[in-house]
Structures are given as C-alpha cells and as structure tokens.
Amino acid sequence: EARSNWRPLITNALEPILSALPSDSTVNDVVIAVNSNLFKVLSRDGNDIFFKAEQTPLIFDPMSVIVFGYASCTGLAILFVNGLKA
C-alpha cells in the first residue's frame, strides 16, 4: 500500500468544526464533533461518506475512502481514528 499524506486534508476539513468548540471542551466533546462531522466534511459529492459492506482490502485507507465515498466498517473506522489523530 502506497503512503499518502492524508493528515493536512483531514486537518483542514475539521479545523473550522473544532475551532468552534468552546475552550473548555472535553475529549468526549471532540470525539463527538469529529464523529458527527467527519464523513460530511470529507465527502466529494455533497453526500456523506457511507458504509458499504465487503470493501476491504480494496478500500480501507483514508484517501481511498474519501475518493470512493464509501467503505466497509474497517475503512470507516480507520478514517475516524485518523480524523482523531489529525
């Protein structure tokens, strides 16, 4: 699997959402904000990135999930965790 520099893309997409959180936000608040918005802000066609069964191993890295607009639970979980890391 080729490496891709997904971090700036995800960071830039989430920055306005996370910046709008109050300064006293907890880790739980951040997790909820990322979970509630990540699949919408990274969508390419205006529709949320969605679950589609049996996509691994073809679609599971963050950039593939963003480009295709869907993934199985593995791909969505990896994208979510990378959203938290970004």
Side-chain angles (χ1 to χ4, degrees), residues 43-57:
S43 69
R44 296 173 46 89
D45 61 3
N47 298 315
D48 290 5
I49 293 171
F50 63 94
F51 171 80
K52 185 173 180 182
E54 299 183 25
Q55 300 305 303
T56 305

Side-chain angles (χ1 to χ4, degrees), residues 13-74:
L14 289 174
E15 194 277 329
I17 292 155
L18 298 178
S19 293
L21 292 174
S23 60
D24 62 346
S25 295
T26 65
V27 171
N28 190 53
D29 296 331
V30 173
V31 170
I32 290 169
V34 170
N35 190 46
S36 299
N37 295 285
L38 180 67
F39 302 116
K40 180 178 297 300
V41 298
L42 291 176
S43 69
R44 296 173 46 89
D45 61 3
N47 298 315
D48 290 5
I49 293 171
F50 63 94
F51 171 80
K52 185 173 180 182
E54 299 183 25
Q55 300 305 303
T56 305
L58 177 62
I59 303 168
F60 72 95
D61 65 281
M63 294 304 281
S64 292
V65 174
I66 294 166
V67 168
F68 282 90
Y70 57 82
S72 64
C73 53
T74 303

